[in-house]
Amino acid sequence: MTVDASSSPPSERNRTPFEKGLDRFFEGTTMGFALFILLLLVAIGLLILVQAWPAIQRFGVSFLWTSSWNPVEGREVFGVLPMIYGTLVSSAIALLLAVPLGLGTALFLSENFIPLKIRTVLVFMVELLAAIPSVVYGLWGIFVLIPALKWFLGLFGVTFAGPSMLAASLVLAIMILPIITAISRDSLAALPPELRQGSYGLGATRWGTIFRVLIPAAISGIVGGVMLALGRAMGETMAVTMLIGNSNTINPSLLAPSNTISSLLANQFAEAKGIQVASLMYAAFVLVILTLIVNILADWIVRKLKAKY
Amino acid sequence: MVDTMPKSGTMTDVVLRAKECDIYYGSYKAVRDVSIDIPKNKITAFIGPSGCGKSTVLRCFNRLNDLIESFSLKGKMTYHGQDLYAPDVDPVEVRRRIGMVFQKPNPFPKTIYDNIAYGPRISGYKGDMDELVETSLRRAVLWDEVKDKLQESGFSLSGGQQQRLCIARTIAVQPEVVLMDEPCAALDPISTLKIEDLMKELVQNYTIIIVTHNMQQATRVADYTAFYNAQVVEGAGGKVGYLAEYGDTEKIFSDPEQESTRDYVTGRFG
């Protein structure tokens, strides 16, 4: 037998220095990119914190639970509680409306209720909802949704000023709908067909199969989508600013104007100076932490649900 | 034309009967002119090369092909003489009486207990669920392996155990017929033998049809064997399946009437 490359031990096969260098170069570049993202995130966080530092020193943690926002020079007091309330409540209402609607749409689009061609068109249209710029949603809210709400509530003798928590939450719900629908549909469609056949094969009805097998099997994906939507709702700025009324008060009525952290920032950064800038940065930091908590929570829930099965 | 009865003098009750069935997907004819009688409390094997329609015919018996939008059936399929495709027949009811075990073990993402209890629960079983779960698992010869971890996920089991779980899940609904679509294709030889032993146990109470690519398996378990073959035809799809020969397993494998059957069972094609 002759000795050739294929019968020599692998350690003897020599790769050219160029080949090795290329490998190392590739590894180094990808690592560099990954580190860059990490650095960017840390830098943004740190810079916000540094800029917010004067406000943190002056107002401390009580910033989180005081309600006055007074930028008048010499008498500045800042507290962000109404905006935290507004952020959480508007997002919660949006979720409350969008989750059943989105999950229902996802189920409808992943089952064979209608011919595939129509389904494909509908899926595309849902995704198109996500492509509408948020300022367009805001404009639509002002000129279509608010007049419609005024008319509707007027039927019950309720006077409705217009910009309010309700208007903002409704538009938020529409904005996050495509996220919930698309992700839920994807995770339902990704289920192995054997699961569905197995259930039908045992004499399950379509409803039994959907609610007892398909949704539980896809739950981690669905919850992941909902949490992503929640993050989007909490950070959404333009449409909310145009519709929420920007009033720094806590009012239990959904018809009253309110405010969120992101619309506070959008409204005030232009004229802010000194300690007000620091306070806005502090508020921004709070928003970042809030979204971070939502993300961690989402991850935890998804992992918990996955571990169950 | 093939005889609908297996070539055997001692035919008992007929549970399922297909009469001159053509099966279409859209305009494409997948199976032509199948007529076959499935005897009660026996194991009938469907063998044949890929694409000969044996799984398709199997799935027609419990109307699982209804899930495919373009599917249509011409001819008649009856269950104890009742037309399975009559407009007033509820496919859900059909599937409760005619259960199915699939090629790939497909436990639900639930606990072992809930996997078994799922079928009885959806059909409104009122009796003692713990007992039913235990009986079903015992019948599937899985009880001793899982009795201490009923609350663990069905996915925590090995492939062979998962398949026995799926069989237990099917018999928990107490069907009369169990259809098995290559139940051992994804299993190792030891698990395969366990499933085969299980089938011989179960056939005392159930009627079993098994689709298999493994001819030794057919000779080991089946009382009757139906050999399906595919025929090249003009047009899209290019092949149509048909029932070539049906009879006692022993006869099919030792002294078949058709040349193609002999060629297939001796491993000359397929």
Side-chain angles (χ1 to χ4, degrees):
Chain A
M1 199 177 128
T2 55
V3 177
D4 60 25
S6 63
S7 64
S8 65
S11 57
E12 278 177 25
R13 187 179 109 77
N14 286 321
R15 291 190 303 160
T16 63
F18 175 71
E19 222 181 325
K20 282 182 182 167
L22 213 58
D23 266 9
R24 220 166 282 149
F25 172 74
F26 182 74
E27 201 182 319
T29 326
T30 47
M31 192 205 273
F33 288 155
L35 285 177
F36 179 70
I37 296 287
L38 196 70
L39 205 73
L40 205 64
L41 195 70
V42 171
I44 291 174
L46 267 181
L47 284 175
I48 292 177
L49 203 60
V50 167
Q51 299 250 328
W53 195 246
I56 295 175
Q57 273 188 321
R58 182 148 157 204
F59 306 114
V61 201
S62 70
F63 185 73
L64 297 178
W65 58 74
T66 48
S67 312
S68 45
W69 189 272
N70 188 357
V72 178
E73 236 181 302
R75 284 183 288 162
E76 290 112 329
V77 183
F78 297 104
V80 84
L81 184 65
M83 290 63 127
I84 295 180
Y85 169 83
T87 304
L88 293 179
V89 170
S90 62
S91 307
I93 296 173
L95 270 194
L96 215 62
L97 296 171
V99 167
L101 207 57
L103 188 55
T105 313
L107 281 170
F108 186 72
L109 294 176
S110 64
E111 287 282 316
N112 58 348
F113 290 107
I114 43 172
L116 187 65
K117 275 184 190 158
I118 308 177
R119 252 185 290 160
T120 316
V121 173
L122 282 176
V123 168
F124 180 69
M125 281 167 73
V126 168
E127 276 160 17
L128 219 60
L129 266 185
I132 298 176
S134 100
V135 66
V136 176
Y137 274 112
L139 210 63
W140 178 82
I142 289 173
F143 291 109
V144 179
L145 181 69
I146 287 180
L149 281 173
K150 260 187 192 155
W151 169 80
F152 180 72
L153 291 167
L155 295 179
F156 303 94
V158 179
T159 46
F160 179 59
S164 59
M165 180 79 93
L166 181 66
S169 305
L170 284 177
V171 167
L172 266 185
I174 300 173
M175 293 177 77
I176 63 175
L177 192 62
I179 303 179
I180 296 179
T181 307
I183 297 182
S184 305
R185 197 195 77 89
D186 284 350
S187 42
L188 284 167
L191 293 175
E194 292 87 19
L195 218 53
R196 187 186 305 256
Q197 291 175 358
S199 177
Y200 281 127
L202 288 172
T205 57
R206 190 202 281 273
W207 299 115
T209 304
I210 289 176
F211 286 103
R212 291 176 181 231
V213 175
L214 300 183
I215 292 182
I219 194 74
S220 62
I222 294 171
V223 170
V226 169
M227 287 298 166
L228 202 68
L230 179 58
R232 167 89 203 265
M234 285 170 57
E236 175 50 41
T237 310
M238 197 61 215
V240 173
T241 308
M242 292 166 83
L243 294 169
I244 201 158
N246 303 304
S247 153
N248 301 331
T249 50
I250 297 181
N251 193 326
S253 166
L254 297 182
L255 304 182
S258 178
N259 209 354
T260 67
I261 297 177
S262 52
S263 53
L264 172 86
L265 300 180
N267 271 301
Q268 304 217 339
F269 77 94
E271 299 117 41
K273 51 187 183 302
I275 189 76
Q276 193 183 356
V277 173
S279 301
L280 288 176
M281 281 294 183
Y282 194 177
F285 189 69
V286 170
L287 182 59
V288 171
I289 297 297
L290 275 181
T291 21
L292 192 70
I293 291 174
V294 166
N295 269 306
I296 292 173
L297 207 67
D299 208 57
W300 181 76
I301 293 176
V302 168
R303 219 173 283 204
K304 193 98 187 186
L305 288 169
K306 266 209 186 118
K308 211 170 151 193
Y309 301 124
Chain B
M1 192 66 212
V2 178
D3 289 312
T4 63
M5 303 286 273
K7 296 254 176 197
S8 155
T10 57
M11 187 76 178
T12 46
D13 296 347
V14 172
V15 176
L16 286 163
R17 167 174 288 163
K19 201 158 176 250
E20 290 158 20
C21 283
D22 292 333
I23 299 165
Y24 294 85
Y25 293 116
S27 60
Y28 160 58
K29 196 189 227 178
V31 175
R32 71 163 166 81
D33 198 24
V34 168
S35 296
I36 189 167
D37 287 354
I38 307 295
K40 192 177 167 65
N41 291 6
K42 299 281 178 203
I43 299 178
T44 305
F46 286 6
I47 61 169
S50 297
C52 66
K54 52 197 187 307
S55 287
T56 304
V57 174
L58 189 77
R59 280 156 183 261
C60 282
F61 280 130
N62 76 341
R63 295 196 55 173
L64 215 57
N65 277 337
D66 288 20
L67 302 183
I68 300 164
E69 275 166 62
S70 59
F71 162 81
S72 64
L73 175 96
K74 269 189 198 139
K76 205 163 187 185
M77 278 204 173
T78 56
Y79 171 65
H80 290 300
Q82 193 192 5
D83 186 358
L84 276 174
Y85 285 81
D88 60 334
V89 168
D90 181 1
V92 169
E93 276 308 314
V94 171
R95 295 181 198 129
R96 277 178 195 168
R97 290 178 172 79
I98 306 175
M100 181 113 188
V101 176
F102 297 84
Q103 177 174 352
K104 235 173 83 188
N106 57 347
F108 300 129
K110 298 172 183 290
T111 63
I112 293 170
Y113 185 98
D114 285 338
N115 257 286
I116 308 291
Y118 175 77
R121 274 186 193 139
I122 50 174
S123 44
Y125 179 74
K126 291 282 184 296
D128 185 348
M129 189 63 81
D130 290 352
E131 198 184 304
L132 181 65
V133 169
E134 183 176 338
T135 325
S136 307
L137 284 169
R138 273 190 196 284
R139 277 202 180 154
V141 206
L142 188 60
W143 175 252
D144 291 329
E145 289 158 69
V146 302
K147 63 182 176 211
D148 299 321
K149 50 176 185 176
L150 291 175
Q151 293 309 320
E152 279 177 37
S153 164
F155 291 128
S156 66
L157 302 174
S158 74
Q161 289 173 325
Q162 284 187 17
Q163 193 62 301
R164 276 179 284 148
L165 179 69
C166 292
I167 294 175
R169 177 177 84 181
T170 305
I171 56 185
V173 196
Q174 289 159 340
E176 188 186 348
V177 183
V178 179
L179 308 176
M180 297 185 167
D181 191 355
E182 298 185 49
C184 303
L187 304 183
D188 63 275
I190 292 171
S191 304
T192 300
L193 285 179
K194 279 190 181 161
I195 303 258
E196 288 176 7
D197 288 343
L198 173 58
M199 289 170 67
K200 288 178 204 155
E201 278 286 316
L202 292 175
V203 77
Q204 292 161 16
N205 299 305
Y206 303 90
T207 300
I208 296 175
I209 308 178
I210 177 174
V211 165
T212 179
H213 270 125
N214 179 336
M215 281 178 271
Q216 282 75 39
Q217 181 167 56
T219 57
R220 283 192 299 258
V221 299
D223 299 296
Y224 301 106
T225 296
F227 169 64
Y228 289 78
N229 203 353
Q231 192 178 39
V232 177
V233 289
E234 297 283 312
K239 272 202 295 191
V240 61
Y242 64 98
L243 176 60
E245 189 168 353
Y246 181 34
D248 276 348
T249 299
E250 212 188 308
K251 182 156 172 23
I252 292 282
F253 280 91
S254 60
D255 182 27
E257 291 187 354
Q258 310 246 343
E259 201 59 36
S260 61
T261 313
R262 184 184 305 279
D263 287 350
Y264 184 76
V265 299
T266 52
R268 232 164 278 169
F269 81 102

